[in-house]
Amino acid sequence: VGAELSDIITRRVIIAVLLMLCVVPLLSYSSPVEDEKEATQFLHKVNIQAGYGENVDCNFLLGSTQEYTDFMLNIANEISAKKNQYLVGLKILPERCGSNQALNFMDDDLIGNVREESIALVQTTPDFINGIEYSVLSVFHLRSIIEEESLSGIYLTLFVIFMLVVLSSQFNGDAQRLVLSPIEDMMEMVNMVADDPLEDFDFHAHSKTGEYETRVIQVAIQKITALLRVGFGVAGAEIISTNMAVDGENSSMFDPMLPGKRIYAIFGF
């Protein structure tokens, strides 16, 4: 029984671990933070190449900035279907091209009404060329990301709870089938013998267990009861019944010297 139960538990644990290795990555959420940093760093390089003063290329800078904002909009759409505003602020230094709204904007109302944890700042390392600072600051509203992370956490928790419930029920079922049920059958067999020690019970039909150690014990109980009937006979039925009973103070001790009963009989030869 121990080896069989150990093999079953090992197989179930291996299947559960493989299933969790496949499902947990699907339920885990990773935010596109690296995409934000790489895109902002690329815009910073474009900002430097656009130049300053008379040599500034506003069309190049504005076109690249528009592509940057469109890219962030696509990220927001991929994160959530609620179309929440993702890029809420952008500041490109130095200010030029007439301080165009596309190059410098900041949604102060939204930023001021959300928690600090819901705002992420991505700022490039400033570069100074001819005493002029070149840098890019982007402000992101992380509400969609936080919502997706929360939902992923809920789904992952529900999956883990489901796995625990299934494994627990499977382990309990195996223990019941291989260990507890055979023991209950043996207890019922002993009680049957204690109630009527002279009855020849069919224990094979009564038992539902496989060929394990518990089955060997059940066969031994059947043989012992048969030997007791042969040894004590009808007159000793009370002794068998009392000693086979599992209830009572002295149920763990064998007492063959129990008070007997006087029986009147006529023997014919």
Side-chain angles (χ1 to χ4, degrees):
V1 175
E4 179 71 13
L5 187 60
S6 177
D7 292 341
I8 292 176
I9 291 177
T10 301
R11 289 196 297 268
R12 296 192 191 283
V13 169
I14 292 175
I15 294 174
V17 170
L18 293 177
L19 184 61
M20 293 186 71
L21 289 177
C22 295
V23 175
V24 168
L26 298 177
L27 297 179
S28 301
Y29 179 79
S30 57
S31 60
V33 176
E34 294 301 324
D35 294 339
E36 301 164 355
K37 293 181 180 180
E38 293 178 1
T40 304
Q41 188 65 35
F42 176 78
L43 183 61
H44 175 63
K45 295 179 180 179
V46 171
N47 181 35
I48 297 175
Q49 294 177 0
Y52 184 74
E54 297 180 356
N55 298 324
V56 62
D57 190 347
C58 290
N59 292 329
F60 175 61
L61 181 59
L62 290 173
S64 300
T65 303
Q66 185 62 43
E67 292 180 2
Y68 175 80
T69 54
D70 293 340
F71 176 74
M72 292 304 167
L73 180 61
N74 291 332
I75 292 180
N77 295 334
E78 292 176 359
I79 294 174
S80 175
K82 296 181 179 180
K83 308 296 183 181
N84 292 324
Q85 187 176 358
Y86 187 48
L87 180 64
V88 296
L90 180 64
K91 185 176 182 180
I92 300 178
L93 294 178
E95 295 183 359
R96 55 204 187 277
C97 299
S99 297
N100 193 291
Q101 180 67 22
L103 302 179
N104 291 279
F105 62 89
M106 198 71 62
D107 193 343
D108 295 326
D109 294 336
L110 177 61
I111 296 174
N113 293 327
V114 298
R115 296 178 301 173
E116 183 177 354
E117 295 80 4
S118 301
I119 297 297
L121 302 178
V122 178
Q123 185 172 13
T124 60
T125 303
D127 288 329
F128 292 90
I129 301 176
N130 298 325
I132 300 175
E133 177 184 353
Y134 290 83
S135 64
V136 176
L137 171 64
S138 299
V139 183
F140 298 96
H141 185 203
L142 305 181
R143 176 180 177 181
S144 299
I145 295 178
I146 294 175
E147 290 178 351
E148 292 298 321
E149 289 179 346
S150 301
L151 288 176
S152 298
I154 292 174
Y155 295 149
L156 184 58
T157 302
L158 293 176
F159 172 73
V160 172
I161 293 175
F162 171 77
M163 291 296 298
L164 291 176
V165 171
V166 171
L167 290 177
S168 177
S169 62
Q170 292 290 334
F171 292 157
N172 289 337
D174 295 334
Q176 180 71 29
R177 178 173 57 88
L178 296 176
V179 180
L180 299 180
S181 291
I183 293 177
E184 292 173 354
D185 290 342
M186 287 186 286
M187 294 296 295
E188 188 173 351
M189 291 164 58
V190 172
N191 289 329
M192 291 167 61
V193 174
D195 292 338
D196 189 359
L198 300 180
E199 178 70 24
D200 188 11
F201 298 103
D202 185 8
F203 290 144
H204 290 283
H206 179 74
S207 175
K208 303 180 180 63
T209 57
E211 296 296 331
Y212 300 110
E213 294 89 338
T214 53
R215 178 60 179 163
V216 176
I217 297 175
Q218 290 174 348
V219 173
I221 293 175
Q222 183 177 4
K223 292 181 178 179
I224 290 172
T225 54
L227 291 175
L228 289 175
R229 285 194 296 269
V230 173
F232 286 92
V234 176
E238 186 68 21
I239 298 175
I240 298 175
S241 177
T242 303
N243 282 280
M244 292 293 289
V246 296
D247 298 329
E249 296 179 358
N250 299 324
S251 59
S252 61
M253 299 176 59
F254 178 73
D255 186 7
M257 302 305 294
L258 291 172
K261 292 182 179 180
R262 180 176 296 179
I263 298 177
Y264 297 94
I266 297 176
F267 299 92
F269 298 94

